Amino acid sequence: MTALSIVAHSHPFVVGVDTHARNHVYAILDATNGALLDTQSFPTTAAGINRAIKWVARRTNADADTLWVIEGAASYGAILAGTVATHGFPVAEAPRMDAKKRRGVGKSDALDAHQMAMAVLPLPADKLRRPRLHDGVRQGVRILVTARGSMSKDRTRSVNALNALMRGNDLGIDARQKLTGAQITEVSKWRSREEELSLSIARAEAVRLARHVLALDEQLTANENQLDDLVKVSEAAPLLEETGFRAISAAKCLAAWSHKGRVRNEAAFASLAGVNPIPASSGNTVRHRLNRGGDRSLNSALHMVAIVRMTHDGETREYVEKRRAEGRTDKEIRRCIKRYLARRIYRALSAAAIAMNAA
């Protein structure tokens, strides 16, 4: 490691920010010696953030290389991170703090901001956790992906509730199997009947659930159409030409990758996706297993693409048969395919980003 590779040697000042719903607390450090220059609290409003940036600029001589280390850069600190980035300052997500090292030190917002800034000083500058950018197409994709996840869960709950209701009450539909789309549509058109009170109530609830499911189906379709439009004008557009990718899976990949430079290389992207091989050897057995960590939404997207490729892509099917002949299990083969996909996705997104910047 060269002397210039750590934060203390790469940035003249570091600003640690402890973020909250109403106020953010800032601590400015001189990176060369770790000295605390000042701490201050500002509101989370746009005016408050602009005041904080001007306050930092006055105490750092407006040095453009001042590093901002922001807690919760994807939640409470998202607006701050985006604003600071637009002013041209380098931004990093706050590192995870070790609770053991904080014993006996006490806790306050100012202390937290100070410790965040101190924690990054010895870290390699190229391994800082870069926050996702929250601008334009990327932010729109992220909002739609999050909304889709919520709607999908709501739809699953509603379908399960409708199935349980139909199986527990004789409403005239055989619900021993999972209800089909046609059956749900039929239920949504039911009208009230002259029948026993409990059946009447059950029928009304079934109609409500069926109509809710159909409404969610329409919203999910509109959501996918919006994602498709956004993905086609983003760095993820080339993914749509790959077998197994649709707007939803490509959007999840884009949301996780965010922008060129956030993930330092394709190995780090594989780790983020939870598809990097984990050693699981014992005795004479040498093998690797699936990683159960990482971004589970991104992992889910790669999983679905892998399944489609294993079924419909000729080259992938040949690979699967070859590895099966070697004694590999389907889980191990799927892990290898997902790792390959992570590499391909990272390179495609990075190449598209370079091309878009050059245009």
Side-chain angles (χ1 to χ4, degrees), residues 19-22 24 44 49 70-81:
T19 59
H20 298 278
R22 295 184 179 179
H24 297 331
T44 59
I49 289 174
I70 301 174
E71 177 193 43
S75 53
Y76 284 140
I79 295 176
L80 172 64

Side-chain angles (χ1 to χ4, degrees), residues 31-104:
T32 58
N33 55 24
L36 177 63
L37 301 181
D38 204 352
T39 60
Q40 187 59 271
S41 173
F42 292 94
T44 59
T45 60
I49 289 174
N50 286 329
R51 283 171 52 204
I53 293 175
K54 292 178 181 178
W55 172 78
V56 170
R58 288 195 299 271
R59 282 153 180 77
T60 61
N61 298 318
D63 197 311
D65 286 331
T66 298
L67 174 66
W68 290 66
V69 181
I70 301 174
E71 177 193 43
S75 53
Y76 284 140
I79 295 176
L80 172 64
T83 305
V84 170
T86 59
H87 280 74
F89 294 105
V91 182
E93 296 182 17
R96 296 180 180 87
M97 305 304 295
D98 187 347
K100 292 182 180 179
K101 293 181 180 179
R102 301 172 65 178
R103 289 178 182 172

Side-chain angles (χ1 to χ4, degrees), residues 5 10 26 36 47 54 66-67 82 84 95 134 137 156 190 197 230 237 265-266 287 290 296 318 332:
S5 64
S10 304
Y26 303 76
L36 177 63
K54 292 178 181 178
T66 298
L67 174 66
V84 170
H134 287 73
V137 172
T156 298
W190 280 350
L197 179 61
L230 290 178
N265 54 41
E266 58 93 3
R287 61 181 291 271
L290 290 166
R296 303 318 294 171
E318 290 179 9
E332 291 173 329

Side-chain angles (χ1 to χ4, degrees), residues 221-241:
T221 299
N223 175 278
E224 183 172 2
N225 291 335
Q226 283 184 288
L227 282 174
D228 189 59
D229 291 339
L230 290 178
V231 167
K232 286 178 179 177
V233 296
S234 75
E235 295 91 337
L239 296 180
L240 296 178
E241 300 175 7

Side-chain angles (χ1 to χ4, degrees), residues 80-136:
L80 172 64
T83 305
V84 170
T86 59
H87 280 74
F89 294 105
V91 182
E93 296 182 17
R96 296 180 180 87
M97 305 304 295
D98 187 347
K100 292 182 180 179
K101 293 181 180 179
R102 301 172 65 178
R103 289 178 182 172
V105 177
K107 178 174 172 35
S108 71
D109 294 340
L111 277 174
D112 288 345
H114 182 193
Q115 290 172 356
M116 288 173 200
M118 287 292 295
V120 303
L121 292 180
L123 297 180
D126 63 347
K127 292 189 177 181
L128 292 173
R129 299 165 59 211
R130 301 295 180 180
R132 302 174 182 180
L133 292 183
H134 287 73
D135 62 333

Side-chain angles (χ1 to χ4, degrees), residues 77-325:
I79 295 176
L80 172 64
T83 305
V84 170
T86 59
H87 280 74
F89 294 105
V91 182
E93 296 182 17
R96 296 180 180 87
M97 305 304 295
D98 187 347
K100 292 182 180 179
K101 293 181 180 179
R102 301 172 65 178
R103 289 178 182 172
V105 177
K107 178 174 172 35
S108 71
D109 294 340
L111 277 174
D112 288 345
H114 182 193
Q115 290 172 356
M116 288 173 200
M118 287 292 295
V120 303
L121 292 180
L123 297 180
D126 63 347
K127 292 189 177 181
L128 292 173
R129 299 165 59 211
R130 301 295 180 180
R132 302 174 182 180
L133 292 183
H134 287 73
D135 62 333
V137 172
R138 282 183 289 263
Q139 177 66 348
V141 167
R142 193 167 296 113
I143 291 170
L144 290 173
V145 167
T146 301
R148 185 175 189 84
S150 177
M151 287 187 288
S152 295
K153 290 178 181 178
D154 189 8
R155 185 186 187 283
T156 298
R157 285 193 296 266
S158 298
V159 170
N160 290 341
L162 181 58
N163 272 295
L165 183 66
M166 299 298 289
R167 289 167 184 168
N169 298 272
D170 185 10
L171 297 176
I173 285 186
D174 185 357
R176 288 176 294 179
Q177 301 290 332
K178 185 177 179 179
L179 293 175
T180 64
Q183 287 176 317
I184 293 175
T185 300
E186 178 186 346
V187 172
S188 72
K189 297 177 180 179
W190 280 350
R191 297 182 179 181
S192 58
R193 305 178 185 179
E194 290 293 333
E195 55 190 344
E196 192 268 328
L197 179 61
S198 62
L199 286 179
S200 178
I201 293 174
R203 190 177 299 279
E205 177 62 9
V207 171
R208 185 191 71 80
L209 287 170
R211 289 176 178 173
H212 185 53
V213 170
L214 295 179
L216 286 170
D217 285 340
E218 292 181 1
Q219 294 170 28
L220 286 167
T221 299
N223 175 278
E224 183 172 2
N225 291 335
Q226 283 184 288
L227 282 174
D228 189 59
D229 291 339
L230 290 178
V231 167
K232 286 178 179 177
V233 296
S234 75
E235 295 91 337
L239 296 180
L240 296 178
E241 300 175 7
E242 299 272 349
T243 302
F245 281 93
R246 293 178 58 188
I248 300 166
S249 51
K252 289 180 179 180
C253 294
L254 177 63
W257 177 81
S258 182
H259 60 278
K260 185 171 174 56
R262 176 179 183 254
V263 185
R264 62 182 180 275
N265 54 41
E266 58 93 3
F269 185 72
S271 179
L272 174 65
V275 298
N276 54 317
I278 301 297
S281 304
S282 178
N284 294 326
T285 302
V286 178
R287 61 181 291 271
H288 293 79
R289 68 165 176 81
L290 290 166
N291 182 358
R292 297 179 181 86
D295 186 323
R296 303 318 294 171
S297 177
L298 174 58
N299 185 280
S300 173
L302 296 189
H303 180 83
M304 295 308 299
V305 174
I307 294 298
V308 172
R309 282 180 171 250
M310 291 172 70
T311 306
H312 299 290
D313 182 62
E315 186 177 348
T316 305
R317 289 165 60 184
E318 290 179 9
Y319 173 80
V320 170
E321 293 304 319
K322 176 183 175 182
R323 299 312 295 268
R324 279 176 180 164

